[in-house]
């Protein structure tokens, strides 16, 4: 693993052979936890192979930490089983809810920025962290709308959550860029507000434009604005792990490798530009 | 009663021999990770023996445009080999100055290939991926001995039955059957250890055949290496319906046939695929096994 | 009612109302006409925002279904048919896309039968399936629950139809 920010990517099966042929190409792989919850032999083989050859970080999507109904225990059991198998430096999920009042949304919905939502989140995060010694981190989601009755800014909300739970943060700079377009939130204000020592990982990707709305499809190359935001995050959190999170419209591996190299170069440039304390 | 004791003793001896002779590193030991760089020749040799190693080396040259394969004929294109090409590539390149077909090529390059494969064979055995071999001669003698024991037992069962009754014959035949099963099992064990199988399986999980085929069709930049890996992991027939399908035809494995060289029809691990070298043969003993078992038929007769 | 309790109620109500709106087209339609009656806690939220989110959710579900049901993936009328299916079915939890695809495939009948059987077989608790469709005999089999799934396919010789006989 490189001396500065490790650079990795969200694992997509399409690139498995490429990763195995070029293990130096990534410092780690982020695995979608939910894909490995089915404990079938083929899934177990794939997970075993990945864990054996790469440092892996599980990233889930369905803990629904913002749900007042609480966490589904059986789902948490399954997630922790996968975490146990991977033995990662941390695992993560989203600052979101996917169910409420018995309704299954099936998608990540942003959390109302209220004190009560913060209480719910802190309670649910505590239930997760009480079950495992592996550190837990949360990722900001992109939104196309904001709930009314907000009591604080997104940055202040996350800062207080970290203070209350001690959780880590996965900053998705592509999502911040989407929020900037859709909600007018200032990404820099968010980055400056959150505690830098909590930032363990950064996601970067490209969105797509849907009639003026930025959709966090993670389906295109990383745009200049996201690189710019990444630079800002790396400046405050130089040891955060950088993760290219391409999910759709997967290009040939050499294009991915180019973006990984660009992330590495950016991290090195920021590191070299820092004045030693 | 005497027969039962003798047979039980023989069985126990055989099991003890088997346990020590075939001892390989414990299966629970972690299997080696996928190495970097990956060597498709190693995989082909591990999976099927020297014949597939030749195929992989030839396919690698074909993929690089150094040799041409059309209508079962292999020839060089005039493109020179690189300075970093290994002994396998050199052997094939030189062999194609004389040979035109795959069986002819195999016959010509057997010696240099065998020499080049020896260190690999040794390493694979040391790592517990390949079983230690029973020399071909011993294997033949053992098989013959077991057949003889069976015949003698069958012949002897009649007088024994007359003297000691049905129960004694039944006991004798049951014990002998168990003995023969274990003995044949010992002689004919597959070349791969369980550890070897698991080692190979992780490659097959990591490099599914459809991914490698797709890589050959669509991503020329990263395709170099896909075809040899495909052949190394899945055999030459996996090249069918790919840009190198001519290689699949020209170097296809022969059908197991009794008429292709007298005494062939082995386990598919020989130089040309269907001939001669049975399980457990090492690179070196394989060569001798082929020579003694199939004579000139190995390669020439069986290879087409 | 204390202010704190009121805030709690609002947060909870907002989340529940939002979840109800995005999973129910009828509720969305009512919300568009009378927001404060249909979802008082979300009265300040534009109905376009909710509709956009709901449509994005449907598009995401359909995208997953196209991936899971490759044989029907390119059919043109999928959007409308899926919207009709989604009105009465909202799967949740792990494996929701598979369950969504299986349920949707059922509404498509024979067109998606093979894909549906293959998906059903991937449920770890299923022992397998056998089907003759599209000129093939296909099977999926696992010897015990959660064991490795074995699958295969054999071409079934087609009977000549009367028309093709006549052509000959």
């Amino acid at each position: 693993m490189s001396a500065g920010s490790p650079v990795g990517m969200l694992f997509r099966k399409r690139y498995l052979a490429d990763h195995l042929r070029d293990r130096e190409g990534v410092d780690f792989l982020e695995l979608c936890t939910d894909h490995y919850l089915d404990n079938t032999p083929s899934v177990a083989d794939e997970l075993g192979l990945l864990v054996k050859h790469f440092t892996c970080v599980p990233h889930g999507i369905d803990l629904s930490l913002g749900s007042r109904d609480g966490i589904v225990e059986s789902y948490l059991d399954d997630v922790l089983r996968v975490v146990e198998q991977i033995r990662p430096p941390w695992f993560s999920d989203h600052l979101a809810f996917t169910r409420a009042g018995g309704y299954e949304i099936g998608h990540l919905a942003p959390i109302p920025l209220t004190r009560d939502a913060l209480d719910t989140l802190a309670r649910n995060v505590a239930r997760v962290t009480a079950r495992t010694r592996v550190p837990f981190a949360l990722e900001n989601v992109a939104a196309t709308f904001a709930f009314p009755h907000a009591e604080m800014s997104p940055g202040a909300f996350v800062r207080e959550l970290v203070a209350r739970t001690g959780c880590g943060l996965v900053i998705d700079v592509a999502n911040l860029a989407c929020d900037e377009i859709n909600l007018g939130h200032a990404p820099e204000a968010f980055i400056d507000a959150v505690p830098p020592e909590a930032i363990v990982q950064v996601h970067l990707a490209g969105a797509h434009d849907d009639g003026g709305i930025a959709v966090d499809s993670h389906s295109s190359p990383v745009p200049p604005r996201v690189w710019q935001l990444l630079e800002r995050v790396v400046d405050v959190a130089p040891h955060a792990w950088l993760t290219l999170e391409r999910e759709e419209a997967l290009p040939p591996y050499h294009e991915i490798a180019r973006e990984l190299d660009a992330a590495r170069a950016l991290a090195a440039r920021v590191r070299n530009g820092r004045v030693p304390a | 009663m005497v027969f039962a004791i003798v047979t039980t003793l023989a069985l126990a001896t055989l099991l003890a021999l088997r346990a020590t002779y075939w001892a390989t590193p414990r299966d629970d030991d972690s299997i080696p990770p996928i190495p970097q760089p990956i060597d498709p020749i190693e995989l082909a040799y591990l999976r099927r023996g020297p014949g597939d190693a030749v195929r992989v080396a030839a396919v690698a040259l074909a993929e690089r445009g150094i040799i041409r394969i059309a209508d079962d004929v292999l020839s060089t294109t005039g493109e020179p080999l690189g300075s970093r090409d290994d002994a396998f590539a050199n052997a094939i390149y030189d062999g194609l100055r004389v040979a035109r077909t795959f069986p002819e090529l195999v016959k010509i390059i057997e010696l240099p290939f065998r020499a080049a494969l020896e260190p690999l064979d040794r390493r694979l055995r040391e790592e517990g991926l390949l079983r230690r071999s029973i020399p071909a001669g011993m294997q033949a003698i053992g098989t013959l001995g077991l057949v003889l024991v069976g015949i003698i037992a069958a012949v002897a069962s009649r007088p024994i039955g007359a003297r000691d009754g049905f129960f004694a014959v039944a006991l004798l035949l049951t014990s002998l059957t168990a003995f023969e099963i274990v003995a044949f099992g010992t002689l004919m064990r597959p070349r791969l250890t369980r550890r070897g199988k698991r080692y190979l399986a992780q490659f097959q999980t990591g490099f599914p055949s459809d991914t490698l085929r797709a890589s050959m069709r669509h991503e020329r930049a990263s395709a170099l290496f896909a075809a040899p890996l495909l052949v190394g992991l899945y055999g030459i027939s996996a090249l069918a319906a790919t840009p190198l399908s001519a290689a699949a035809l020209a170097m296809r494995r022969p059908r197991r046939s009794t008429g292709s060289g007298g005494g062939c029809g082995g386990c598919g691990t020989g130089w040309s695929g269907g001939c001669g070298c049975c399980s457990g043969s090492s690179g070196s003993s394989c060569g001798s096994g082929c020579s003694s078992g199939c004579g000139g038929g190995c390669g020439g007769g069986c290879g087409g | 009612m204390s202010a704190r309790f009121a805030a709690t109620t609002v947060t909870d109500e907002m989340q529940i109302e939002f979840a109800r709106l995005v999973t129910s087209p009828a509720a969305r339609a009512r919300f568009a006409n009378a927001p404060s009656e249909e979802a008082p806690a979300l009265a300040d939220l534009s109905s376009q925002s909710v509709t956009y989110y709901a449509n994005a959710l449907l598009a995401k579900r359909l995208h997953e279904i196209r991936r899971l049901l490759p044989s029907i993936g390119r059919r043109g009328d999928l959007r409308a048919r899926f919207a009709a299916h989604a009105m009465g079915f909202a799967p949740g939890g792990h494996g929701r896309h598979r369950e969504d695809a299986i349920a949707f495939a059922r509404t498509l009948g024979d067109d998606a039968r093979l894909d549906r059987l293959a998906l059903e077989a991937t449920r770890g608790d299923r022992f397998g399936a056998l089907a003759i469709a599209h000129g093939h005999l296909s099977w999926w089999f696992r010897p015990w629950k959660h064991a490795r799934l074995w699958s295969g396919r054999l071409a079934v010789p087609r009977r000549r139809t009367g028309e093709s006989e006549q052509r000959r």
Side-chain angles (χ1 to χ4, degrees), chain C residues 1-106:
Chain C
M1 188 190 289
S2 70
R4 179 80 180 132
F5 181 73
T8 301
T9 309
V10 166
T11 301
D12 198 22
E13 284 304 310
M14 279 196 297
Q15 290 182 286
I16 295 172
E17 284 176 3
F18 181 77
R20 184 168 54 82
L21 289 179
V22 296
T23 51
S24 162
R28 280 202 302 281
R30 290 194 297 271
F31 181 70
N33 290 327
S36 51
E37 282 172 32
E38 181 61 27
L42 293 178
D44 293 342
L45 192 62
S46 76
S47 66
Q48 288 94 327
S49 296
V50 177
T51 303
Y52 185 86
Y53 185 95
N55 287 342
L57 176 58
L58 276 188
K60 186 178 162 62
R61 279 173 66 182
L62 184 55
H63 175 75
E64 292 297 329
I65 280 179
R66 281 182 199 272
R67 194 175 56 79
L68 291 168
L69 304 175
S71 67
I72 56 109
R74 290 197 183 90
R75 270 177 57 157
D77 62 338
L78 277 185
R79 221 173 252 272
R81 294 186 75 153
F82 181 71
H85 152 79
M87 281 174 79
F89 189 77
H94 169 58
R96 61 179 172 273
H97 293 307
R98 180 177 57 200
E99 296 312 312
D100 206 10
I102 290 170
F104 182 50
R106 284 210 180 93

Side-chain angles (χ1 to χ4, degrees), chain A residues 191-275:
Chain A
I191 295 166
D192 293 345
V194 300
E197 66 279 3
I199 303 173
V200 291
Q201 198 178 341
V202 189
H203 281 168
L204 54 153
H208 84 262
D209 176 70
D210 181 22
I213 294 177
V215 180
D216 61 326
S217 53
H218 292 197
S219 59
S220 56
V222 180
R225 177 61 174 148
V226 172
W227 287 119
Q228 202 179 16
L229 294 174
L230 176 68
E231 196 166 335
R232 182 116 176 177
V233 179
V234 172
D235 191 38
V236 297
H239 297 292
W241 293 21
L242 313 185
T243 317
L244 183 64
E245 208 183 35
R246 187 72 176 257
E247 290 181 62
E248 300 289 343
L250 302 176
Y253 183 70
H254 62 87
E255 285 181 29
I256 292 282
R258 252 202 317 266
E259 290 202 306
L260 294 170
D261 287 343
R264 249 182 224 108
L266 180 143
R269 198 173 61 239
V270 173
R271 199 171 52 245
N272 295 336
R274 285 167 70 92
V275 181

